Amino acid sequence: NNTKDDGHRIVAYRAMGKIKAPKAMQILLDGLKDKAAKIRTEALKGLSVLKDTSQLPTVRKMLSDPILDVVLTAIQTLLKLGDTRNVTLYIQALRRGPYPPKHEFVRTLGELGDKRAVPLLRKLADRYLRSWNRYQKKAKKLYRRGIRKLKRKRERNAKTEAALKERIKQQLKEDDAVNPMALCAFFEAIRAL
């Protein structure tokens, strides 16, 4: 907890979630007050693993956190602790949140078994499929353009094609449709409902 490296601290908080000891619980509770949102999120995940329902009031306080990911993780933690009062808040937060939502948040919608999530899941899945189609078109266009250049230069071979594909992958790495886990999560959640 004394290190300034967030990566090390995140790993430490993940480990605390697996240790069933009073000291681990206290460290996780202290993590909820950390300045870094990633640490607060990991502390909440650890509390959900420990399944200590006496911490429900403490976790509920995290619903007012300014970072949406922390709020969504707090709701996930509450749901895992058996508190289902915040399902509507969870659906609304995902609706207003950034697109595409993280796949673990989408999967939670399916785990809830609440039919109110179906319209949101369909909307998100439709939007993601449109993003995926645009991504494919961009990739194909860049690939055809690159192949034409290689042919003109008479440099087309397996090595240059592999390099071209890697350049295209790097060029499109920030695209919304890059994460295939998101698409799987949408359909898993819809099927669960």
Side-chain angles (χ1 to χ4, degrees), residues 85-150:
R85 291 186 283 174
N86 298 297
V87 172
T88 304
L89 178 63
Y90 191 75
I91 292 169
Q92 289 171 351
L94 272 176
R95 186 176 290 128
R96 287 191 313 251
Y99 173 82
K102 292 182 178 173
H103 59 90
E104 59 265 19
F105 295 144
V106 174
R107 279 199 174 97
T108 298
L109 279 177
E111 292 167 8
L112 292 173
D114 194 314
K115 300 290 184 199
R116 292 176 289 177
V118 172
L120 174 61
L121 284 168
R122 285 189 178 142
K123 180 181 173 185
L124 290 171
D126 286 344
R127 184 173 175 191
Y128 191 82
L129 285 172
R130 285 192 307 274
S131 297
W132 178 251
N133 287 333
R134 277 194 306 273
Y135 173 79
Q136 284 184 310
K137 286 177 184 177
K138 281 187 234 173
K140 286 176 184 177
K141 184 178 177 181
L142 291 169
Y143 181 74
R144 283 193 296 267
R145 190 180 298 156
I147 288 295
R148 281 195 300 268
K149 284 181 183 178
L150 291 175

